[in-house]
Amino acid sequence: MAFKLPDLPYAYEALEPHIDARTMEIHHSKHHNAYTTNLNNAVAGTPLESKSIEEILKSISTAAPVVRNNGGGFYNHNLFWEVMSPNGGGLPTGELAEAINASFGSFEEFKTQFSNAGATRFGSGWAWLSVKDGKLVVSSTPNQDNPLMDIAEVKGTPILGMDVWEHAYYLKYQNRRPDYVAAFFNVINWTKVAELYAKAK
Ligand code: MN3
């Protein structure tokens, strides 16, 4: 079973002005495409070939670094495109909103913690909102690591991921990562995050 680059669920320009079309095009058609190809090449002819990406990530400590980097890249971007939308932004509702309040005290406190996780991750990496033991937790990981991996400091099921590699924002925001992080909140697809929460909790 080969892993397949998913189509974006919207057009490259759909997230303008928050995330520009050129960034989206390069990010999806070059970066995500390369992670997918490299993952397929790395698992070809090995026992990993028949596993799901989630299974591979859960025992990533036993796999080669090329699988960790590209398997993470493949999974992380699959999630990233899904949790953004041209109709995104605003506030979560329902059960997810209640869970955010229960875990962080308020949406504003969650937003502060998540934004800090993204802004302070040194170098390349991701900020995450995950379900862990029935609660929500914020964390960050370096490179293409994620909370599903057995080597993650904070393990859980990710329901929201924000890419803070420079390739995710540099064309529009240059060195101003906090501006990109603020803009990301305008495109978060809370409906999708709530769906993922309902499945993971
Ligand atoms: Mn990326």
Side-chain angles (χ1 to χ4, degrees):
M1 161 184 94
F3 296 103
K4 195 174 169 298
L5 178 71
D7 291 331
L8 275 190
Y10 36 75
Y12 288 134
E13 68 271 22
L15 304 181
E16 295 265 12
H18 311 293
I19 302 181
D20 64 283
R22 184 76 178 130
T23 294
M24 290 297 293
E25 181 178 0
I26 297 170
H27 204 170
H28 177 259
S29 71
K30 306 292 186 199
H31 291 278
H32 196 187
N33 191 43
Y35 296 126
T36 308
T37 302
N38 294 341
L39 172 63
N40 283 324
N41 290 340
V43 300
T46 79
L48 297 181
E49 202 173 21
S50 59
K51 294 192 171 179
S52 70
I53 188 61
E54 288 85 358
E55 285 177 303
I56 292 174
L57 297 178
K58 280 173 183 171
S59 54
I60 203 70
S61 60
T62 63
V66 65
V67 177
R68 176 171 168 178
N69 293 333
N70 292 289
F74 173 72
Y75 175 92
N76 295 349
H77 292 85
N78 285 355
L79 177 67
F80 187 54
W81 312 134
E82 291 285 328
V83 296
M84 297 191 290
S85 165
N87 306 312
L91 297 170
T93 56
E95 256 192 347
L96 174 61
E98 287 166 26
I100 287 174
N101 288 337
S103 297
F104 302 102
S106 66
F107 179 78
E108 280 311 307
E109 178 57 25
F110 152 72
K111 185 175 178 178
T112 298
Q113 288 189 26
F114 187 83
S115 300
N116 285 344
T120 61
R121 165 51 55 187
F122 187 77
S124 298
W126 290 73
W128 303 101
L129 176 65
S130 304
V131 178
K132 179 185 169 67
D133 305 326
K135 289 203 69 169
L136 290 171
V137 289
V138 163
S139 66
S140 78
T141 55
N143 304 312
Q144 295 296 354
D145 288 357
N146 69 47
L148 283 183
M149 293 180 172
D150 58 355
I151 45 86
E153 255 175 71
V154 178
K155 286 183 265 299
T157 305
I159 61 171
L160 175 65
M162 176 173 65
D163 190 340
V164 295
W165 283 56
E166 286 186 346
H167 68 225
Y169 62 87
Y170 210 84
L171 291 181
K172 184 177 173 77
Y173 296 98
Q174 293 85 47
N175 60 317
R176 303 186 309 277
R177 189 192 287 186
D179 290 358
Y180 157 73
V181 170
F184 178 75
F185 272 84
N186 294 320
V187 297
I188 295 177
N189 182 350
W190 287 115
T191 306
K192 184 68 192 182
V193 179
E195 259 177 56
L196 295 172
Y197 172 69
K199 268 189 236 166
K201 77 185 166 87

